[in-house]
Amino acid sequence: MTDNGKPKKFQEKMELNVALFMLTLAIAVSIGGLVTVVPLFYLNSTWEDRATTPDGKPKNPELSSVRPYSALELAGRDIYIREGCYTCHSQMIRPFRDEKERYGHYSLAVESKYDHPFQWGSKRTGPDLARVGGKYSDQWHEAHLLDPKSVVPESVMPRYPWFAKATLDPNCVVSSMKGMKMLGVPYTDEDISKAPAMVQGKTEMSAIIAYLQVLGTMVKFEEGKDYRD
Amino acid sequence: MATVYLVVGALVGVYIAAELAWPALNFDIPYLTFGRLRPLHTNAVIFAFGGCTLFATSYYIVQRTCYTRLWSDKLAWITFWGWNAVIVSAVVTLPLGITSGKEYAELEWPLDILIAVVWLSYMFNFVMTVASRKVSHIYVANWFFMAMQVMITYLHVVNSLAIPVGLFKSYSIFAGPQDAMVQWWYGHNAVGFFLTAGFLGIMYYFVPKQAGRPIFSYRLSVIHFWTLIFGYVWIGGHHLQYTALPDWSGSLGAAISLAMIIPSWGGAVNGMLTLSGAWDKLRTDYTLRFLIVSLAFYAMSTFEGPLMSIRTVNALSHYTDWTVGHVHSGALGWVAMVSMGAIYHLVPRLWNTELYSTKLVNTHFWMTTISIVFYISAMWVSGIMQGLMWRAYDEQGTLMYSFAESVAAMHPYYALRWFGGTLFLLGTIVMLFNVLMTVTRARTAPALAHASA
């Protein structure tokens, strides 16, 4: 923009021609998205399980243990989304010393590879849940969900008594799994046909607890290893 | 309707703020829980209030600045009813737990389709109106509206891409880190284009009109317009600092966020300096007070935001109430206040009358400004406190506070924030009263009766 004539000419062309203006806008605003979003789809650095050693072997074979959610866990995840749990709880541990002590190993991208949609969250009104799996007993979770204050007196979390009364709908779980399969989550036909039996008669409470108990447990991390930059 | 939705949206906000301070207000009722009402609040204030304000003002501005009528009245009415149908559907579906689980894009797929139809109709009508203008050059306000329309189309389509697994349920086609990046490309640009570019368009018409003076600098408007709409798109990564995204993503987001201070302040400066030589008008013109103070908050928020996108700062601020404070300084200070200025300017003209009470405009102004100060101060203190408590170590080298202790420490600030929000809500009720009294007492005139309220 050094010369007085140039910006005026371009700008004038825009202001005189709405179609040209719209086209230029469409191009101008698409660039940022292309640069920031598209590379994540072809760069191997997006997924830690694609990293290789200098001689071409997978660097982090232990990450292959990340698996799709079971039928019960998936039903629980749907409840988590329905209730908007992500508005108060994050699921993304950052590589800081205090977070490691409080929550565990920092989260890897590959751990949420089957999460359609992702639930990393953006607020911690309540604690991060990325590795809550296995930290508390099922009974603790049940007591906490029915009445958070009974186990955490300072809590501001609402009570969820309806979890214990509502039962799961096997048809819903089957459509969910089929949908996920369409999106590339590796469910087998066997997984899907066994699903109704797995959730028949179970309550929403058992589903959400199953989901919470699996969070962050799928990978056995090697101590001191650098999984990310 | 914008005035009505402002009250509704603020009311839901005040309620959920109260739930955080006094959780008994969840009443064990699924439809009232914080997790289900929060998206209702965000959708109500952004899309119901913000959306109606944008539709109303842009339809008005495009006609005034192009010296021609809307290309199609019928299409405009379709957008009015369509948009309100979306809003009513949101009020029903969100408390029922029908949600996609993606922030600011929670409405499920049938509503996404309706939104797309309304939005494309709006954009088409707007562009055709501009195309049939009686003046040669397109006025600056319309550049901003057009940029917003184009970008929102992209954002809505891409971020809503999902596979339906039921009539009201779907799963995002993206997962994990890719979904995260798409989500925050969307989320940040919803702010950048819907809430910033669109409202800058509003500012560029109502400030010079209310002040009776031309915009300070044409050249500045050209430069800051292009840099703003180009640069804003790159910074979604600043929502994901230190998360499981590659490093370059966060670095890029932070660097460009800082660069964005310049085009943002360009807009603030251009609006404010329009008052050069006429600052005394602020003593008596209360509508102008809203418009100018909104620009001050805009400048403040567009400085705070880039500051928070710096990794070192973000390490403390992410996940805390500071983010909430930042959002509301922009949402209440900039978006709401410039809208209020616009509405106070617009309503008397649309009904060919005078405002019922200018004194109440001033009352509203002070209520709003003070309420915002309460809100953001409470959130600054609580947010920074949270961040510090979470990372505090004692002399033995162990974590000093349990998470629960940090929650307990938040209570007074949650109460204070609720108070600020309530004062803001009361202000919006004053405004609704003033607008309704103005409209019902007006002598009807044929002149501009077509523009939607």
Side-chain angles (χ1 to χ4, degrees):
Chain A
M1 299 269 185
T2 50
D3 158 42
N4 221 345
K6 249 180 60 184
K8 251 184 154 190
K9 260 178 80 185
F10 165 80
Q11 183 63 22
E12 272 230 87
K13 277 211 194 100
M14 296 294 128
E15 290 186 34
L16 291 170
N17 184 339
V18 69
L20 183 61
F21 204 148
M22 292 293 276
L23 183 64
T24 312
L25 283 172
I27 297 172
V29 301
S30 56
I31 295 172
L34 292 170
V35 170
T36 55
V37 174
V38 173
L40 294 173
F41 287 90
Y42 63 77
L43 285 178
N44 276 340
S45 56
T46 310
W47 303 106
E48 301 87 354
D49 59 349
R50 299 214 189 140
T52 50
T53 58
D55 50 337
K57 298 217 183 72
K59 198 165 159 231
N60 307 311
E62 64 273 30
L63 298 181
S64 59
S65 55
V66 176
R67 60 162 176 83
Y69 295 105
S70 71
L72 191 61
E73 292 160 358
L74 188 62
R77 179 169 211 264
D78 283 344
I79 295 166
Y80 185 93
I81 292 173
R82 178 187 82 202
E83 300 298 338
C85 303
Y86 62 90
T87 61
C88 286
H89 290 283
S90 58
Q91 281 186 37
M92 171 52 60
I93 303 170
R94 296 177 290 173
F96 301 155
R97 187 174 147 214
D98 60 281
E99 296 215 356
K100 177 163 196 202
E101 271 189 53
R102 206 184 285 283
Y103 302 118
H105 196 281
Y106 55 83
S107 296
L108 299 185
V110 73
E111 292 183 275
S112 51
K113 75 196 267 197
Y114 299 129
D115 290 5
H116 293 264
F118 82 115
Q119 290 289 284
W120 293 2
S122 46
K123 181 72 170 58
R124 284 178 188 165
T125 309
D128 185 282
L129 299 177
R131 284 193 208 296
V132 73
K135 283 223 177 87
Y136 302 93
S137 67
D138 285 0
Q139 289 87 341
W140 185 93
H141 276 299
E142 177 151 9
H144 178 247
L145 287 163
L146 288 176
D147 184 359
K149 276 204 162 82
S150 68
V151 284
V152 183
E154 305 91 335
S155 177
V156 297
M157 181 167 143
R159 301 196 289 218
Y160 292 92
W162 54 92
F163 285 170
K165 297 174 217 148
T167 47
L168 299 171
D169 178 357
N171 294 322
C172 268
V173 182
V174 167
S175 354
S176 295
M177 289 175 84
K178 283 189 174 152
M180 287 289 188
K181 187 168 179 201
M182 243 192 276
L183 291 172
V185 177
Y187 286 119
T188 61
D189 290 328
E190 204 191 331
D191 291 330
I192 299 181
S193 60
K194 284 202 175 135
M198 201 180 178
V199 302
Q200 188 66 48
K202 296 243 169 69
T203 59
E204 290 192 341
M205 181 64 81
S206 58
I208 186 106
I209 293 178
Y211 171 68
L212 292 171
Q213 293 288 33
V214 79
L215 288 179
T217 60
M218 289 184 187
V219 176
K220 199 160 174 350
F221 290 99
E222 261 184 50
E223 268 306 310
K225 196 175 182 190
D226 276 334
Y227 289 95
R228 279 167 47 196
D229 284 335
Chain B
M1 286 317 289
T3 327
V4 170
Y5 290 131
L6 178 59
V7 173
V8 171
L11 182 62
V12 181
V14 163
Y15 192 76
I16 63 177
E19 283 181 324
L20 285 179
W22 303 284
L25 289 169
N26 283 284
F27 291 125
D28 293 1
I29 298 174
Y31 319 111
L32 291 182
T33 54
F34 181 88
R36 294 197 190 184
L37 284 188
R38 190 250 179 183
L40 182 59
H41 166 64
T42 54
N43 277 274
V45 291
I46 298 172
F47 299 113
F49 165 63
C52 282
T53 305
L54 282 167
F55 280 119
T57 51
S58 64
Y59 279 145
Y60 177 81
I61 291 171
V62 74
Q63 294 182 88
R64 300 289 292 179
T65 55
C66 293
Y67 292 86
T68 185
R69 293 279 288 107
L70 273 181
W71 184 76
S72 161
D73 276 355
K74 197 158 175 219
L75 211 52
W77 278 111
I78 289 175
T79 60
F80 174 75
W81 289 109
W83 197 249
N84 279 276
V86 170
I87 295 167
V88 169
S89 308
V91 173
V92 171
T93 55
L94 293 172
L96 286 174
I98 294 172
T99 167
S100 68
K102 294 184 77 167
E103 283 188 80
Y104 320 119
E106 292 90 348
L107 296 176
E108 268 291 5
W109 64 274
L111 297 178
D112 281 342
I113 294 175
L114 180 54
I115 291 170
V117 169
V118 172
W119 193 258
L120 290 172
S121 311
Y122 163 61
M123 178 163 60
F124 186 67
N125 203 1
F126 189 93
V127 172
M128 291 307 282
T129 307
V130 175
S132 53
R133 63 190 181 282
K134 303 275 189 295
V135 287
S136 57
H137 288 64
I138 303 173
Y139 181 64
V140 56
N142 298 317
W143 315 341
F144 281 92
F145 289 130
M146 282 155 46
M148 170 192 71
Q149 289 154 8
V150 171
M151 192 62 187
I152 296 297
T153 310
Y154 271 136
L155 294 174
H156 179 68
V157 169
V158 175
N159 198 40
S160 306
L161 289 174
I163 280 212
V165 292
L167 186 53
F168 281 105
K169 189 142 159 254
S170 63
Y171 291 137
S172 169
I173 66 172
F174 309 107
Q178 293 158 342
D179 198 26
M181 191 65 235
V182 169
Q183 165 63 31
W184 290 111
W185 162 80
Y186 167 87
H188 201 81
N189 291 301
V191 173
F193 284 85
F194 201 78
L195 297 181
T196 303
F199 286 84
L200 281 172
I202 292 176
M203 186 280 286
Y204 266 109
Y205 178 81
F206 289 105
V207 166
K209 260 297 191 212
Q210 187 71 24
R213 308 175 75 70
I215 284 284
F216 173 69
S217 161
Y218 169 74
R219 198 177 191 157
L220 180 57
S221 67
V222 175
I223 296 175
H224 102 92
F225 171 73
W226 289 105
T227 46
L228 190 96
I229 61 113
F230 178 70
Y232 235 116
V233 192
W234 295 61
I235 61 185
H238 71 217
H239 290 263
L240 295 158
Q241 301 288 29
Y242 289 118
T243 64
L245 275 193
D247 247 14
W248 61 263
S249 173
S251 304
L252 185 62
I256 311 258
S257 298
L258 285 165
M260 289 300 289
I261 296 180
I262 299 179
S264 302
W265 279 37
V269 160
N270 215 358
M272 286 215 219
L273 291 183
T274 298
L275 238 54
S276 289
W279 290 103
D280 60 292
K281 289 196 179 195
L282 285 172
R283 277 197 270 146
T284 48
D285 187 343
Y286 305 131
T287 302
L288 198 59
R289 283 186 187 181
F290 273 104
L291 295 172
I292 299 302
V293 170
S294 79
L295 286 170
F297 276 113
Y298 175 64
M300 191 193 100
S301 305
T302 50
F303 181 73
E304 187 183 29
L307 205 69
M308 293 170 79
S309 63
I310 299 170
R311 278 208 167 93
T312 325
V313 179
N314 194 274
L316 182 79
S317 72
H318 193 28
Y319 302 124
T320 69
D321 285 325
W322 187 359
T323 309
V324 180
H326 167 68
V327 166
H328 287 84
S329 86
L332 304 180
W334 158 238
V335 177
M337 287 188 85
V338 75
S339 303
M340 291 163 183
I343 292 171
Y344 281 129
H345 175 105
L346 202 50
V347 168
R349 278 163 185 74
L350 288 178
W351 274 270
N352 215 1
T353 181
E354 278 171 16
L355 275 175
Y356 170 70
S357 161
T358 48
K359 202 155 171 235
L360 281 181
V361 177
N362 195 29
T363 309
H364 181 206
F365 170 76
W366 285 109
M367 287 172 84
T368 306
T369 307
I370 293 172
S371 72
I372 295 171
V373 173
F374 268 108
Y375 193 110
I376 58 187
S377 312
M379 293 292 97
W380 280 338
V381 175
S382 72
I384 293 177
M385 185 185 284
Q386 276 176 323
L388 291 174
M389 282 177 90
W390 294 342
R391 57 161 66 167
Y393 280 95
D394 57 25
E395 296 91 44
Q396 279 80 41
T398 50
L399 289 171
M400 202 140 122
Y401 299 103
S402 68
F403 192 89
E405 281 174 302
S406 75
V407 176
M410 294 299 107
H411 179 77
Y413 305 103
Y414 284 162
L416 207 60
R417 179 260 301 271
W418 169 84
F419 172 72
T422 302
L423 186 57
F424 182 87
L425 171 65
L426 291 173
T428 66
I429 295 174
V430 168
M431 176 171 170
L432 182 61
F433 173 73
N434 205 356
V435 167
L436 286 176
M437 291 303 280
T438 305
V439 167
T440 51
R441 285 157 119 245
R443 285 153 263 142
T444 41
L448 287 151
H450 297 282
S452 46

